[in-house]
Amino acid sequence: MKVKVIENLKYSKEHEWVRVEGNRAVIGITDYAQDSLGDIVFVDLPEVGRNVKAGEAVAVVESVKAASDVYSPVSGTVVEVNAVLEASPELINQDPYENWILVLEMSDPGELDALMDAQSYERFCEEEEE
Amino acid sequence: MKKTPLYEKHVSLGARMIEFGGWMMPLQYVGILQEHEAVRQRAGLFDVSHMGEIMIRGRGATEFLQQLITNDISGMREYRVLYSPMCYPDGGTVDDLLVYKFDSERYLLVVNAANIQKDLQWIESQRPHDVEVEDMSEQYAQLALQGPKSQEILQRIVDIPLDSVKFFRFADGVSIAGVSALLSRTGYTGEDGFEIYLPANRALKVWDAIMEVGAQYQIMPAGLGARDTLRLEAALPLYGHELSPDISPLEAGLDRFVKLDKADFIGREALVKQKEDGISRKLVGLEMIDKGIPRQGYEVQVEGRRVGYITSGSFSPTLKKNIALALVDVSYAAEGFHVDVLVRSKALKAEVVKIPFYAKQYKK
């Protein structure tokens, strides 16, 4: 399948995307991730105020078949969650880049350098498919 | 990994293929929710060619099957289908299966894909001299057409009136799109529908014919994902979840398929004892009160103490609730009882509810 990738976002190997807004990181899951999961029926959001480290499971996205962790691509404090997803988790299937999951206040923006840009991520997805 | 005769068809339809019971099977085509709804509202077509078919023949066939399974086939008429567990001497479950009776010397058993070899070995080890056992699994393909529009669709390409094939009956040598097949009004979705057994090399022809006439009813190909959510809503057991060598059919609530009054059968003594002593755990339905989806293996607790576990759980597409089947201590099995389900270390509230979750609409 052809995965949709957006320019100017950062991507993790676990198929999360990050949009940087100053010192804040807006985080969601990619088109590849939503497609692999199938119909999303539940999103377990973190508490605002929680501190997370890069690579830590920060939310859970559940499809009909299975529960899948969302790993935080960077470290920081949860400052906002997208509560709309509690009632309408399927929005992630409809537009995974528009429907973010949470916002972190980053504690170490340098961690962003370890993430992929759109082109690298697209190649990464193609390799995953093989 | 084995492939069904429809493997290429599934791939060309864009199905996501997964391994199941040693077979590559379609998990979903467009999505589990849409396929699930198609079956509840209209019709869905499943490739279930992974299921095993075992022919039992011979003068001693009826007597042998009476020994082998827990249900009673003594009063069974020809061209009827019967559901039954098959047990070990200790009452644990070998498999659950369908028995198709051609006559008193010929029966077809339809068994779970993952259990074919185990079942064959078990049946072979119990077989008397006047009975032959033949594995027909490779020769047969199996399609399941399920949903309220199934009869209307199928009627257009078969040569018999389908009204004559009532619930849990079958007809053999039926011409479906010109292919001779065995057809039964059975299924695993909680809807009216048919299961079709046909030669593996003719499966594609029949699949295409059903999809073609079904198009005006918005039929959809449906995968194992929808099959699982459909059967869960109907509270139909799945071997490896609600039944296992460690779980007896009485614990799984299948009492009406265990005929303790019939003459001796394998497992009878153990099951009679379970019945007399009372089972210590029981399969119940749970509906989540708190937000969260119960999954197989999750612990069920009361006041922080483990009282059982989830055998199958999911979001229910029809009810729009999170539901589960769970094997719990009988003290907590009464409807209305509140328990906790441990979801990622959080105790989430659930209520014991009546099963099936979804009321069946079978054509009798």
Side-chain angles (χ1 to χ4, degrees):
Chain A
M1 76 159 235
K2 181 71 188 151
V3 270
K4 191 177 162 197
V5 170
I6 304 271
E7 291 294 326
N8 303 320
L9 298 183
K10 294 281 194 178
Y11 296 89
S12 75
K13 288 184 174 175
E14 284 78 31
H15 304 284
E16 290 92 12
W17 56 261
V18 179
R19 189 170 71 231
V20 182
E21 294 179 351
N23 202 41
R24 291 189 164 198
V26 182
I27 296 166
I29 65 169
T30 67
D31 187 43
Y32 182 95
Q34 72 77 21
D35 184 74
S36 315
L37 280 164
D39 293 321
I40 294 168
V41 292
F42 183 65
V43 182
D44 201 354
L45 297 166
E47 308 247 323
V48 170
R50 183 176 145 192
N51 291 310
V52 292
K53 288 203 162 56
E56 188 179 325
V58 66
V60 179
V61 174
E62 299 208 34
S63 68
V64 180
K65 282 303 284 179
S68 180
D69 285 318
V70 176
Y71 299 97
S72 186
V74 290
S75 307
T77 306
V78 178
V79 290
E80 215 179 320
V81 295
N82 188 0
V84 171
L85 297 175
E86 288 182 345
S88 306
E90 72 281 0
L91 290 174
I92 294 180
N93 290 123
Q94 289 164 18
D95 190 342
Y97 296 109
E98 185 65 29
N99 294 287
W100 54 280
I101 295 173
L102 67 141
V103 181
L104 285 186
E105 183 76 30
M106 289 184 282
S107 57
D108 181 5
E111 289 171 344
L112 292 167
D113 297 339
L115 302 175
M116 290 175 271
D117 63 14
Q119 286 70 35
S120 310
Y121 178 65
E122 202 166 13
R123 275 199 302 277
F124 177 75
C125 289
E126 281 162 13
E127 285 160 18
E128 291 263 286
E129 285 290 279
E130 282 158 16
Chain B
M1 202 65 59
K2 287 190 269 192
K3 291 176 179 173
T4 79
L6 293 163
Y7 177 84
E8 298 298 336
K9 173 58 88 175
H10 303 317
V11 171
S12 75
L13 288 168
R16 176 160 306 144
M17 305 300 290
I18 55 156
E19 189 274 332
F20 181 81
W23 294 77
M24 285 308 288
M25 299 299 293
L27 171 67
Q28 62 169 61
Y29 302 84
V30 295
I32 295 173
L33 297 178
Q34 284 183 63
E35 294 162 28
H36 182 110
E37 191 191 349
V39 173
R40 288 272 179 258
Q41 304 289 334
R42 308 181 305 274
L45 184 60
F46 299 82
D47 174 15
V48 285
S49 300
H50 60 312
M51 299 296 285
E53 291 86 11
I54 300 171
M55 195 67 84
I56 305 287
R57 279 196 199 88
R59 289 175 58 185
T62 301
E63 197 183 332
F64 173 52
L65 280 177
Q66 274 293 71
Q67 273 289 312
L68 197 64
I69 65 174
T70 63
N71 207 338
D72 187 358
I73 61 163
S74 62
M76 195 178 175
R77 286 194 250 163
E78 293 177 357
Y79 296 97
R80 298 292 173 109
V81 188
L82 182 93
Y83 170 79
S84 182
M86 172 166 73
C87 284
Y88 291 111
D90 69 359
T93 312
V94 182
D95 202 357
D96 63 333
L97 47 86
L98 291 178
V99 181
Y100 286 71
K101 179 176 182 175
F102 292 90
D103 59 52
S104 61
E105 297 188 2
R106 190 158 74 105
Y107 296 86
L108 183 70
L109 307 184
V110 180
V111 305
N112 285 297
N115 290 341
I116 298 174
Q117 290 312 315
K118 180 185 79 172
D119 289 356
L120 278 168
Q121 281 170 16
W122 173 248
I123 294 169
E124 199 53 52
S125 74
Q126 303 298 321
R127 177 181 71 87
H129 294 300
D130 56 356
V131 170
E132 284 171 48
V133 176
E134 188 185 357
D135 178 13
M136 311 281 286
S137 305
E138 300 288 323
Q139 288 101 298
Y140 274 117
Q142 187 187 343
L143 303 180
L145 174 60
Q146 302 279 293
K149 296 292 181 197
S150 297
Q151 180 165 337
E152 264 182 85
I153 292 167
L154 199 56
Q155 189 62 73
R156 295 179 53 185
I157 49 169
V158 297
D159 63 347
I160 59 163
L162 289 173
D163 272 333
S164 65
V165 184
K166 295 190 166 43
F167 190 54
F168 268 64
R169 296 194 195 186
F170 73 100
D172 196 18
V174 178
S175 168
I176 307 180
V179 176
S180 179
L182 186 158
L183 178 155
S184 59
R185 195 184 289 265
T186 50
Y188 193 51
T189 61
E191 293 298 331
D192 186 28
F194 298 89
E195 291 180 299
I196 301 160
Y197 301 82
L198 69 174
N201 61 6
R202 312 305 300 279
L204 186 59
K205 186 177 180 200
V206 173
W207 171 281
D208 285 340
I210 294 173
M211 290 307 294
E212 196 185 322
V213 295
Q216 70 177 98
Y217 301 91
Q218 287 93 48
I219 190 175
M220 289 181 89
L224 290 186
R227 186 168 157 88
D228 194 42
T229 49
L230 288 158
R231 71 92 196 166
L232 176 62
E233 287 181 347
L236 297 168
L238 174 59
Y239 193 87
H241 290 245
E242 286 72 39
L243 291 168
S244 77
D246 182 47
I247 305 171
S248 88
L250 297 180
E251 292 173 315
L254 299 174
D255 303 51
R256 65 200 171 97
F257 307 104
V258 179
K259 300 291 161 58
L260 296 173
D261 294 339
K262 75 170 182 175
D264 195 34
F265 62 89
I266 300 166
R268 182 174 180 273
E269 203 177 319
L271 292 167
V272 164
K273 189 166 188 321
Q274 270 186 22
K275 191 88 173 180
E276 283 170 354
D277 297 352
I279 48 172
S280 59
R281 52 183 194 168
K282 191 184 166 202
L283 195 73
V284 298
L286 295 181
E287 188 180 303
M288 296 304 293
I289 297 169
D290 288 337
K291 284 181 184 170
I293 304 178
R295 306 280 183 185
Q296 185 185 20
Y298 286 9
E299 196 166 312
V300 178
Q301 297 185 336
V302 170
E303 288 163 3
R305 199 168 54 82
R306 180 187 168 103
V307 298
Y309 65 96
I310 303 294
T311 55
S312 298
S314 177
F315 170 74
S316 159
T318 308
L319 307 171
K320 316 277 185 233
K321 290 171 180 169
N322 295 319
I323 60 169
L325 292 170
L327 200 54
V328 302
D329 187 320
V330 284
S331 323
Y332 309 101
E335 277 168 38
F337 208 91
H338 283 199
V339 297
D340 293 324
V341 178
L342 213 57
V343 179
R344 294 182 286 278
S345 329
K346 273 185 285 186
L348 302 182
K349 243 182 224 42
E351 182 179 339
V352 177
V353 297
K354 189 164 72 81
I355 45 179
F357 303 97
Y358 171 81
K360 309 171 187 189
Q361 298 176 349
Y362 290 142
K363 181 152 187 158
K364 297 287 175 186

